[in-house]
Amino acid sequence: MSTSETFQASRYRWVVFFVHLFCMGCASRESAIFWSTDPEPPFTSSGEVIPPDRWWLTFGDTRLNSLIELSFQGNFDLVAAVERLNAAHALARREASDFFPDVDGFLETESIFFTNGPDRADYALGVDFNYPVDLWGEIEYRVEGENLRAAATGADYHAVALNLSGQIARTWFALIEAHAQLALLNQQIKTNQTGVELLEAAFGGGIRRSPDVFRQRQLVESTREQAVVVQLQIELLEHVLAVLLGHPPQEATYETQENLPDLPAAPATGLPAELVQRRPDVRRAFLELTAADYDFAAAVSAQYPRLNLTASLTTLTDSPEKLFQEWAVGLGGQLIGPLLDGGQRRAEVDRRYAIVQERFADYNQATLLAFRQVEDALARERYILERIDRLKAQLEEAEKSTPILRRYYFIQEVDYLNVLSSIMSEQSLQREVLSARLDLIQNRVELYLALAGSFEPTAPATLEVPSTVELEVPPTVKVEVPPTVEVEVPPTVEVDSNEPAEAVDLLELDEEIPPLEIIVDE
């Protein structure tokens, strides 16, 4: 074979090699995550009113509305969540910088002193370029993974805001109930004190015995003791509310309304598949799962050869006056492939795959927990309503029996212990009805939180909250994991290499994703 033919054959082999390399880099890859379409059974009951995203508006309490909006401005947990979100976005932008070449400028000078002869000085000025070619999508996968983690941090921020609104509402309603309990106890103290005065008058006239007076006085003191407990509860609740608002608790005092609000109409629960679309905690688990899948793809891509392109523009002279007169341009490329690494890259692939399975289990658990919270709140509301009916029925009977027993007592038909027992039972039932109504309102808050989706809280003016991600999350998930795993690579993400800056904006997604199932070939 002649020299020219040898050169042509060699050039042909290199062309085939680079075409094969390019095709391997652009080949589509299958994800390690697959989605199931099995629907979940509906919830056991549902109302007809669709609650607003700002669910607390359904109670019609303007003071509560203002407190929650105020907490969005001052609560430090929410401020910390915003800063975590800003840090996550900064990390995603840092990762996306790998789409751009590194350009470094340099200025060098070196002086050489000779013992025999004139001294010498060299000066160099130039620019170096370095660009890693993303042949296998490793950079793409890393960037997309960080984008999804930033989106998960955004979902966590909305979960913090949602939990904060629930804490404010629960504390506020507990404070209203505590003030109502205190008012009721003060009324009961007056009633019981009147009983003491009547018995003392009867005892002074020789009609009644002294133990009856002592028992009635004991009832008064017992009621006063309960009032002290409620006063402590009011002060502690005010401290809690102040801290939730971002205020010091030392001088916290809040004026409340006299009675708890009426229970709003039952909310529509919708379908379980719709619930997992709304819940920020479920969305966070889904986004973390998807981010782990892209990390897994990046680990697989890291096993393949890497191509780096380099360039330099340099001027070199022995005198500063001659700089910029002569220039040297250098172009180069470096193809690096792993030969022996002691199984390090393979171990990283296995680790990333295990993390995908871990995130998958977390997503499963978050979904089931969301369903359970809705069902728990629905069940509690049914039984609390029934309990209130039973308490009211008991209270009605006690209110009938107490005056009758009093009349029988003054005509010496019954002992005073019967009267005292009836009074204590009636007053206890009055307090229990108030407590049960609080339980009902608090449970409705829990139901709203279990059904609620993301809303945009009013962030402080000094903080900028990035936009949220709109994703459809699957209602159910299934997994089959054999003992020995063969790793499959996730699909390539299509990104325009001419517009790398768009990678950071991948948070603004609108995907429709079916239910999840991981299938791994043995």
Side-chain angles (χ1 to χ4, degrees):
M1 183 180 293
S2 65
T3 303
S4 62
E5 290 176 346
T6 304
F7 175 75
Q8 293 289 341
S10 174
R11 184 172 63 179
Y12 175 76
R13 286 194 296 270
W14 279 106
V15 169
V16 170
F17 170 74
F18 279 108
V19 169
H20 179 65
L21 196 65
F22 177 78
C23 293
M24 288 179 64
C26 298
S28 61
R29 301 175 179 129
E30 295 183 2
S31 172
I33 300 175
F34 297 92
W35 303 95
S36 171
T37 56
D38 296 339
E40 286 288 339
F43 294 115
T44 54
S45 63
S46 175
E48 297 181 356
V49 179
I50 299 177
D53 291 336
R54 281 172 152 72
W55 53 268
W56 56 89
L57 299 176
T58 57
F59 291 103
D61 189 333
T62 55
R63 182 61 174 152
L64 172 63
N65 300 343
S66 62
L67 287 173
I68 292 179
E69 294 297 333
L70 185 61
S71 71
F72 293 153
Q73 297 287 329
N75 182 266
F76 290 103
D77 288 336
L78 194 61
V79 172
V82 172
E83 295 302 339
R84 285 196 299 270
L85 182 55
N86 290 334
H89 279 269
L91 183 59
R93 292 196 303 273
R94 186 189 72 181
E95 199 70 36
S97 66
D98 288 341
F99 282 124
F100 298 89
D102 292 333
V103 182
D104 298 316
F106 63 90
L107 174 62
E108 296 180 5
T109 179
E110 182 181 13
S111 298
I112 302 176
F113 302 95
F114 296 95
T115 56
N116 297 319
D119 297 336
R120 175 183 171 183
D122 292 327
Y123 302 90
L125 175 68
V127 179
D128 284 337
F129 300 84
N130 183 41
Y131 181 68
V133 180
D134 194 18
L135 288 176
W136 320 106
E138 179 185 359
I139 297 176
E140 254 175 52
Y141 293 141
R142 291 204 317 265
V143 171
E144 182 66 7
E146 290 302 332
N147 281 331
L148 289 166
R149 260 184 291 276
T153 307
D156 183 66
Y157 161 72
H158 286 95
V160 171
L162 182 63
N163 291 332
L164 175 60
S165 66
Q167 287 179 289
I168 294 286
R170 286 191 293 264
T171 306
W172 178 249
F173 291 136
L175 190 58
I176 294 175
E177 188 267 348
H179 279 287
Q181 289 278 12
L182 184 59
L184 177 61
L185 284 166
N186 289 332
Q187 181 183 350
Q188 292 176 352
I189 290 171
K190 291 180 181 179
T191 302
N192 296 337
Q193 185 62 41
T194 302
V196 171
E197 294 171 359
L198 291 175
L199 286 174
E200 286 176 344
F203 175 73
I207 303 174
R208 292 296 162 212
R209 297 168 297 177
S210 60
D212 297 343
V213 179
F214 297 152
R215 292 189 183 102
Q216 185 65 24
R217 288 175 181 172
Q218 181 184 1
L219 177 60
V220 172
E221 294 303 322
S222 173
T223 312
R224 286 174 177 167
E225 180 267 336
Q226 294 179 53
V228 171
V229 173
V230 173
Q231 287 173 340
L232 171 62
Q233 183 182 4
I234 289 174
E235 189 165 345
L236 296 180
L237 288 171
E238 288 178 339
H239 294 169
V240 172
L241 192 57
V243 173
L244 290 174
L245 296 175
H247 298 161
Q250 287 86 338
E251 299 179 357
T253 55
Y254 300 96
E255 296 294 331
T256 66
Q257 59 198 53
E258 295 181 358
N259 298 310
L260 289 168
D262 295 330
L263 189 69
T269 55
L271 298 174
E274 297 172 344
L275 176 66
V276 295
Q277 310 289 341
R278 297 191 301 266
R279 288 274 297 246
D281 55 340
V282 179
R283 289 164 55 82
R284 176 185 59 200
F286 167 74
L287 290 165
E288 288 176 347
L289 167 62
T290 312
D293 188 45
Y294 277 100
D295 292 340
F296 164 71
V300 173
S301 300
Q303 300 177 112
Y304 304 142
R306 304 185 304 278
L307 176 61
N308 293 327
L309 302 179
T310 60
S312 64
L313 178 63
T314 309
T315 176
L316 180 65
T317 182
D318 58 357
S319 173
E321 294 81 6
K322 297 180 181 179
L323 283 172
F324 307 107
Q325 293 183 3
E326 294 185 5
W327 292 90
V329 178
L331 298 174
Q334 186 181 41
L335 185 64
I336 305 174
L339 297 178
L340 293 174
D341 64 356
Q344 176 183 357
R345 290 174 175 82
R346 180 62 191 186
E348 179 64 13
V349 170
D350 294 340
R351 186 180 78 88
R352 290 294 181 181
Y353 187 82
I355 293 176
V356 171
Q357 296 184 63
E358 178 188 356
R359 297 291 181 266
F360 176 82
D362 293 340
Y363 172 76
N364 251 339
Q365 187 66 21
T367 303
L368 294 178
L369 182 60
F371 295 160
R372 197 203 80 182
Q373 288 173 346
V374 174
E375 286 296 325
D376 287 351
L378 292 173
R380 280 196 300 265
E381 184 163 309
R382 289 196 304 269
Y383 289 107
I384 291 175
L385 285 170
E386 183 177 352
R387 177 172 179 259
I388 290 176
D389 290 339
R390 298 292 180 266
L391 287 172
K392 287 182 177 179
Q394 293 181 64
L395 179 58
E396 184 179 352
E397 297 301 325
E399 290 173 345
K400 293 177 183 178
S401 64
T402 301
I404 296 174
L405 287 171
R406 275 202 183 100
R407 289 197 299 268
Y408 285 170
Y409 170 71
F410 280 106
I411 62 175
Q412 300 184 356
E413 291 287 335
V414 295
D415 188 82
Y416 190 70
L417 286 176
N418 294 325
V419 180
L420 190 64
S421 175
S422 180
I423 294 173
M424 294 175 63
S425 176
E426 178 184 348
Q427 294 180 352
S428 175
L429 286 169
Q430 290 172 344
R431 295 190 294 268
E432 285 187 40
V433 169
L434 269 179
S435 298
R437 289 199 64 240
L438 174 63
D439 292 341
L440 183 63
I441 296 295
Q442 300 277 40
N443 183 73
R444 176 57 64 86
V445 170
E446 296 297 332
L447 180 57
Y448 283 139
L449 292 176
L451 295 173
S454 299
F455 58 86
E456 290 297 336
T458 307
T462 56
L463 298 177
E464 181 180 351
V465 183
S467 58
T468 57
V469 178
E470 293 297 331
L471 289 178
E472 292 193 359
V473 187
T476 56
V477 286
K478 293 182 179 179
V479 61
E480 298 178 6
V481 182
T484 304
V485 230
E486 286 293 333
V487 178
E488 296 182 34
V489 186
T492 303
V493 179
E494 295 183 2
V495 175
D496 189 353
S497 60
N498 295 324
E499 298 179 1
E502 294 295 327
V504 181
D505 295 329
L506 289 175
L507 290 174
E508 298 180 0
L509 306 175
D510 189 9
E511 301 181 24
E512 183 174 354
I513 304 178
L516 171 68
E517 181 177 22
I518 294 183
I519 300 177
V520 185
D521 296 333
E522 295 186 353

